[in-house]
């Protein structure tokens, strides 16, 4: 089963750019990954889904153009340009695996993004 | 407005039971797969399980950590999903969210999410 690994923290200055990484375990390079934003005290919010070919489908409602994704090998990246204060959040990646009763969904540990 | 509202959380002793509800509005509940996800304080998200639609035989699947203790069900006439939790352990303490797995063309995503309901397992 896949394991998704995220750095626990990241930081960036206001107006700068940052790239968050979600790394799939070996053997799962063809997996697509969802990215979710979770502001303090709130439920998660869909950002977008990414595979090795880039974004899969559309961005979530209200996600600005400053957010983009890229997929390469085992890594799935979420890049935020021109960081704003409201981008300070936890960012979670997740992927599904299997089917039927053997289906499950796995999340990474999340990355806390601090805006300096 | 597309919305999910969870209820039923509270304080329960280890070994006890609790049933959570997730009331849906603003979308075709009966055709949607519904998932439960939990989050312990200060921790990441953990998938709990899911139930598919009638068209998919109401198939369920569970995380290994809850399999055999938790049961997900749904009542399409009430637009409500449920999470029955038995044999609760202290490590089940978390905010529990329900969410829909939506599919529109190539876009697949968890949305909406409820506000969450807190379950505390403690003596």
């Amino acid at each position: 089963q896949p394991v998704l690994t995220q750095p626990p923290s990241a930081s960036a200055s206001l107006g700068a750019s940052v790239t968050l990484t979600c790394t799939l375990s070996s053997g799962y390079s063809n997996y697509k990954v969802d990215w979710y934003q979770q502001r303090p005290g709130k439920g998660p919010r869909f950002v977008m889904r990414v595979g090795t070919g880039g974004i899969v489908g559309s961005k979530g409602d209200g996600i600005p153009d400053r957010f983009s994704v890229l997929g390469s090998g085992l890594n799935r990246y979420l890049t935020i340009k021109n960081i704003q204060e409201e981008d300070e959040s936890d960012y979670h990646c997740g992927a599904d695996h299997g089917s039927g009763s053997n289906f499950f969904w796995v999340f990474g540990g999340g990355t806390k993004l601090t805006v300096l | 407005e597309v919305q999910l509202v969870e209820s039923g959380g509270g304080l329960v002793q280890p070994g006890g039971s609790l049933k959570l509800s997730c009331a849906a509005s603003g979308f075709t509940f009966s055709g949607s797969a519904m998932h439960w996800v939990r989050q312990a304080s200060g921790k990441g998200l953990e998938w709990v399980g899911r139930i598919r639609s009638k068209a998919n035989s109401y198939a369920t699947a569970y995380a290994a950590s809850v399999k055999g203790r938790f049961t997900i069900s749904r009542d399409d006439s009430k637009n409500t999903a449920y999470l029955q939790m038995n044999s609760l352990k202290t490590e089940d303490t978390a905010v529990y969210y329900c969410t829909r797995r939506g599919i529109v063309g190539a876009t697949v995503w968890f949305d909406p999410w409820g506000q969450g309901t807190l379950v505390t397992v403690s003596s």
Side-chain angles (χ1 to χ4, degrees), chain A residues 34 36 38 42-46 49 56-58 61 90 92 96 99-110, chain B residues 35 37 39 43-47 50 52 59-63 67 97 101 106-115:
Chain A
D34 289 5
Y36 293 87
Q38 187 177 26
K42 301 292 186 181
R45 172 193 186 195
F46 175 69
R49 186 171 172 86
V56 179
S58 303
D61 290 343
D90 292 328
H92 306 275
D96 58 66
S99 61
S101 61
N102 294 319
F103 170 93
F104 66 86
W105 184 271
V106 59
F107 287 100
Chain B
H35 294 242
V37 175
Q39 186 173 35
K43 303 295 184 182
L45 302 174
E46 180 187 13
W47 179 78
R50 69 100 162 102
R52 300 185 75 182
T60 56
Y62 300 92
K67 202 167 189 177
Y97 297 98
R101 189 66 178 168
T107 303
V108 185
W109 76 119
F110 284 131
D111 180 82
W113 292 71
Q115 83 287 355

Side-chain angles (χ1 to χ4, degrees), chain B residues 23-98:
Chain B
S25 59
F27 64 93
T28 305
F29 177 81
S30 61
S32 300
M34 299 300 297
H35 294 242
W36 288 91
V37 175
R38 68 185 180 182
Q39 186 173 35
S41 180
K43 303 295 184 182
L45 302 174
E46 180 187 13
W47 179 78
V48 172
R50 69 100 162 102
I51 185 167
R52 300 185 75 182
S53 64
K54 181 179 180 179
N56 291 289
S57 305
Y58 298 125
T60 56
Y62 300 92
S65 59
V66 307
K67 202 167 189 177
R69 300 187 298 123
F70 290 12
T71 302
I72 298 173
S73 61
R74 63 191 297 160
D75 185 337
D76 290 343
S77 68
K78 295 182 178 179
N79 286 350
T80 301
Y82 303 97
L83 177 64
Q84 175 68 48
M85 304 183 292
N86 299 330
S87 303
L88 282 161
K89 305 175 181 180
T90 55
E91 53 263 41
D92 295 319
T93 295
V95 174
Y96 284 73
Y97 297 98
C98 65

Side-chain angles (χ1 to χ4, degrees), chain A residues 19-89:
Chain A
T19 295
L20 307 180
T21 304
C22 174
T23 303
L24 292 151
S25 52
S26 178
Y28 297 97
S29 60
N30 62 329
Y31 274 49
K32 301 177 180 66
V33 158
D34 289 5
W35 281 98
Y36 293 87
Q37 178 193 56
Q38 187 177 26
R39 290 178 172 144
K42 301 292 186 181
R45 172 193 186 195
F46 175 69
V47 178
M48 67 187 91
R49 186 171 172 86
V50 56
T52 52
I55 187 172
V56 179
S58 303
K59 293 181 181 179
D61 290 343
I63 299 298
D65 292 341
R66 302 184 289 104
F67 286 68
S68 62
V69 292
L70 186 65
S72 177
L74 294 172
N75 293 319
R76 305 291 179 264
Y77 304 102
L78 173 65
T79 297
I80 310 171
K81 296 182 179 179
N82 186 23
I83 287 177
Q84 303 298 302
E85 288 184 2
E86 63 263 28
D87 299 332
E88 184 162 289
S89 303

